[in-house]
Amino acid sequence: VLETAMRAGVEIDTEKINIIDPVNSPYYEDFAKTFYELRKNKGITEEAAHDTVADVSYFGTMMVQIGDADGMVSGANHSTADTVRPALQIIKSAKKGASVSSLLILVHNDKPYILADCAIIIDPTDKEMADTALEAAKNAVKFGMEPKVAMLTFSTKGSGKGDQVDKVRRATEIALEALKNDPDYNGLNIKLDGELQADAALDAVVGAKKAPGSEVAGKANVLVFPDLASGNISYKMLQRICGGEAYGPMLQGLNAPVNDLSRGALVEDIVGMIAITCIQAQK
């Protein structure tokens, strides 16, 4: 790290910045033992546990788990799976029974949108979709947004039929029930509606026509997708065709933030993701 910094003309004050080599770290043995205890029921051996925590992604995730780090940013040189897998194996979910999903921040014309889930759950159940929506809304509040959550599919208020429409409708009901009865959401001023098509969610004229009276239609800034395919395709199209700045995916529903970068990330992308992670880490 120091050699790379020197070549880049960057001075690192090692009294203020602690550079850790996993295998030579005093944490290494304790991390290996802890990881073995966590995963021995899954068939991992003690030797394999040592090999695993030598990997920087696993080592960094263990630092977050024990509280020595408040969050982790990875992915510039690792795949999404390499970043996400350790978090799912090590860090527990923040709420018992709630699913872990992802969100992505897309900025277009200086306006931020939250998109979820674009990276984790391939075909969410109605409960998983509701969990995704609620976590995305809470994160929107952390980012200084007033969340207006659209539960998306190819139907608006009964205009279409099918299993997916039924799922989104049930997910909307589950999420609205939680907003009404769960004290976690008191005072957050979260607005949520579904089922909505993307045009009804984002265009005020279309929203007023297709979903009159909705507090979300035409004003949505949190977009929740019915499956991973639609979410992933949508954000990549918006990024490439519209030139939106995309930050993420970020895991949500965990006790601590773990966030992923694209392997084509620029310096600005990395700095932006670090800032987002710091915001998420605030208690």
Side-chain angles (χ1 to χ4, degrees):
V1 172
L2 291 173
E3 287 175 0
T4 303
M6 199 181 338
R7 287 197 299 270
V10 175
E11 185 176 343
I12 292 180
D13 185 347
T14 54
E15 291 186 5
K16 295 181 179 178
I17 298 174
N18 189 17
I19 300 171
I20 297 172
D21 174 17
V23 176
N24 294 317
S25 164
Y27 294 118
Y28 177 61
E29 287 297 329
D30 285 342
F31 283 4
K33 290 176 184 175
T34 301
F35 186 71
Y36 169 70
E37 291 299 324
L38 283 172
R39 303 294 294 175
K40 65 182 180 182
N41 291 337
K42 302 290 185 181
I44 195 167
T45 64
E46 291 187 52
E47 182 180 2
H50 278 80
D51 291 341
T52 300
V53 299
D55 177 88
V56 291
S57 296
Y58 275 91
F59 192 92
T61 305
M62 288 296 298
M63 291 181 71
V64 175
Q65 171 68 4
I66 68 165
D68 200 58
D70 295 309
M72 186 176 86
V73 176
S74 185
N77 291 308
H78 301 87
S79 70
T80 294
D82 289 338
T83 301
V84 169
R85 190 182 301 110
L88 296 179
Q89 291 179 355
I90 296 168
I91 300 176
K92 305 299 183 184
S93 60
K95 197 167 185 177
K96 189 174 181 180
S99 52
V100 175
S101 57
S102 76
L103 68 85
L104 181 136
I105 297 177
L106 188 86
V107 181
H108 181 58
N109 292 335
D110 294 327
K111 182 175 180 180
Y113 297 87
I114 287 179
L115 282 59
D117 173 9
C118 302
I120 303 295
I121 308 175
I122 295 174
D123 185 16
T125 64
D126 49 9
K127 172 66 164 54
E128 288 172 332
M129 188 177 177
D131 288 345
T132 297
L134 294 168
E135 284 297 322
K138 286 199 295 185
N139 275 298
V141 173
K142 279 192 172 186
F143 299 142
M145 300 166 63
E146 294 182 4
K148 295 178 176 61
V149 185
M151 308 291 275
L152 297 179
T153 184
F154 58 85
S155 168
T156 299
K157 301 297 182 180
S159 66
K161 298 187 183 302
D163 291 343
Q164 188 188 85
V165 175
D166 293 338
K167 178 179 78 172
V168 175
R169 197 172 294 137
R170 291 193 304 270
T172 302
E173 292 170 358
I174 293 168
L176 289 172
E177 187 71 18
L179 290 176
K180 181 180 176 182
N181 298 314
D182 191 329
D184 279 359
Y185 307 106
N186 287 350
L188 297 185
N189 195 30
I190 296 169
K191 308 296 184 188
L192 183 145
D193 199 8
E195 82 280 11
L196 295 172
Q197 291 164 282
D199 57 350
L202 296 168
D203 187 284
V205 174
V206 177
K209 183 181 291 185
K210 290 187 174 184
S214 170
E215 294 183 291
V216 173
K219 302 183 282 285
N221 57 8
V222 179
L223 307 175
V224 183
F225 296 94
D227 56 49
L228 185 61
S230 55
N232 193 274
I233 291 167
S234 295
Y235 104 74
K236 289 183 183 294
M237 288 179 66
L238 288 166
Q239 188 179 20
R240 300 302 174 188
I241 295 175
C242 303
E245 301 169 41
Y247 299 95
M250 302 159 226
L251 296 186
Q252 58 176 10
L254 293 170
N255 275 317
V258 174
N259 295 326
D260 186 36
L261 292 161
S262 165
R263 275 174 283 181
L266 304 173
V267 171
E268 292 82 1
D269 299 327
I270 298 169
V271 173
M273 186 63 83
I274 292 169
I276 288 167
T277 305
C278 291
I279 292 169
Q280 287 183 297
Q282 300 299 312
K283 302 299 183 185

